[in-house]
Amino acid sequence: MAENQGIEQVMGKLVDMLAKKFSEASTTSNAIVPHTESILKIELMQNEIKLEGVKNYLSWSRRALLILKTKGLEGYVTGEVKEPENTSSVEWKTWSTTNSLVVAWLLTSLIPAIATTVETISSASEMWKTLTKLYSGEGNVMLMVEAQEKISALRQGERSVAEYVAELKSLWSDLDHYDPLGLEHSDCIAKMKKYVERRRVIEFLKGLNPEFEERRDAMFHQITLPTLDVAI
C-alpha cells in the first residue's frame, strides 16, 4: 500500500515537471512568433529621392535615415546593430530577417545603374558604407566651392525669413559635410565653431531684404555679433 502511494507521488511529480516544461516551451514559442510576425509586417515608406550619385547623396541619405528612424531601423545601416555570432540562434534569425528587409528597401531607393553595383552586398551596414564611400563627396573641393558660392549668392528675395533661414541652413549643412573641420582638440573645435557661427550670422544678415536694414545695421554696430538664433 505504502509502496503504491510512493510510486503515485513520484509519477505525480513527474507529470507536474513535464507540464511545467511544456508550459515554458509554449510561452517561449509564443514570444518568438509575434516578434517574427511584427518584422514581416514592417512597412517602410518609399524614399522619393533616388540616389543618382554625388550630387544628391546628402538629400538621399538624410531622407533614408529619417524613414528608417520611423521604424527604429537606422542602427542596421549605421552599424550600431551588430550581427549575432550564433547563426542558429533566434536572435540571429531576427537580425537576418530585418537586415534583409533594410537591404531590399535600400535597393529600391537607388537608380538601377547604382543598384547593380551593390546588389551583391548582403549586409545593410556594408551597403550603406559602400554608398557613402562612393557618393558622399566628403572633402570634395568642387562641391565645397559650389556650396559656398550658393551661400554667397543667396538672398531672401520673395522668401519669408523662415524659408530663407531654412535654405541657408541646408546649404551650410552641405558645406559642413564637404569641408569638415578636421580638428582634434575640443578647445580648437569650440573656437572654430564660434568663428563659423559669426561668419554665418554675417551671411544671414547681408542676405536680408531692405526692410530689415535698420535691424541689420544695429547688429553690425554692436561690439560683438549675436548668435544666429538671436539674429534670426
Side-chain angles (χ1 to χ4, degrees):
M1 188 73 165
E3 184 178 351
N4 289 337
Q5 288 179 348
I7 293 173
E8 289 176 359
Q9 289 177 355
V10 171
M11 292 298 293
K13 289 181 179 180
L14 182 59
V15 170
D16 290 341
M17 289 174 62
L18 290 173
K20 184 178 180 182
K21 288 290 183 182
F22 179 80
S23 177
E24 290 175 353
S26 177
T27 302
T28 304
S29 176
N30 290 337
I32 294 170
V33 172
H35 186 59
T36 304
E37 289 179 348
S38 67
I39 294 171
L40 296 176
K41 289 179 181 178
I42 291 177
E43 292 185 7
L44 289 166
M45 69 176 71
Q46 290 298 310
N47 190 343
E48 296 177 357
I49 301 175
K50 305 296 182 184
L51 179 62
E52 300 174 355
V54 176
K55 286 290 184 180
N56 77 332
Y57 170 84
L58 286 179
S59 295
W60 169 82
S61 62
R62 289 167 184 157
R63 186 72 61 85
L65 284 175
L66 180 61
I67 294 172
L68 290 170
K69 283 180 180 178
T70 64
K71 302 297 183 180
L73 299 176
E74 71 278 9
Y76 282 85
V77 297
T78 62
E80 294 175 21
V81 177
K82 305 294 183 183
E83 178 180 359
E85 295 182 1
N86 185 359
T87 56
S88 62
S89 66
V90 173
E91 290 78 11
W92 184 87
K93 291 176 182 177
T94 300
W95 174 89
S96 179
T97 302
T98 311
N99 172 73
S100 297
L101 173 73
V102 175
V103 166
W105 179 82
L106 282 174
L107 288 171
T108 66
S109 72
L110 313 174
I111 62 171
I114 292 178
T116 55
T117 65
V118 294
E119 64 185 4
T120 58
I121 301 175
S122 59
S123 165
S125 62
E126 286 301 316
M127 181 177 290
W128 185 267
K129 191 184 300 181
T130 299
L131 293 170
T132 299
K133 184 178 180 180
L134 292 174
Y135 304 111
S136 73
E138 184 175 341
N140 188 304
V141 176
M142 183 182 70
L143 293 174
M144 175 190 70
V145 172
E146 186 177 302
Q148 185 59 66
E149 287 177 345
K150 288 181 180 179
I151 293 168
S152 300
L154 186 64
R155 296 294 182 269
Q156 181 186 351
E158 297 181 358
R159 304 175 185 84
S160 67
V161 173
E163 291 170 339
Y164 169 54
V165 170
E167 190 163 347
L168 267 177
K169 286 185 174 181
S170 177
L171 289 171
W172 285 333
S173 179
D174 290 353
L175 183 61
D176 288 341
H177 175 79
Y178 298 134
D179 188 25
L181 291 177
L183 300 174
E184 296 181 359
H185 299 291
S186 57
D187 290 343
C188 294
I189 293 173
K191 289 178 181 179
M192 181 56 73
K193 283 184 175 180
K194 287 183 179 180
Y195 169 78
V196 170
E197 184 174 32
R198 286 198 301 272
R199 298 287 300 178
R200 290 179 177 177
V201 169
I202 294 172
E203 289 170 342
F204 162 70
L205 293 173
K206 286 177 65 177
L208 287 172
N209 285 342
E211 61 260 35
F212 296 103
E213 186 173 352
E214 288 186 11
R215 178 184 176 188
R216 177 171 55 231
D217 289 345
M219 291 186 180
F220 280 161
H221 283 87
Q222 292 180 7
I223 297 175
T224 57
L225 283 171
T227 64
L228 184 61
D229 289 339
V230 172
I232 294 171

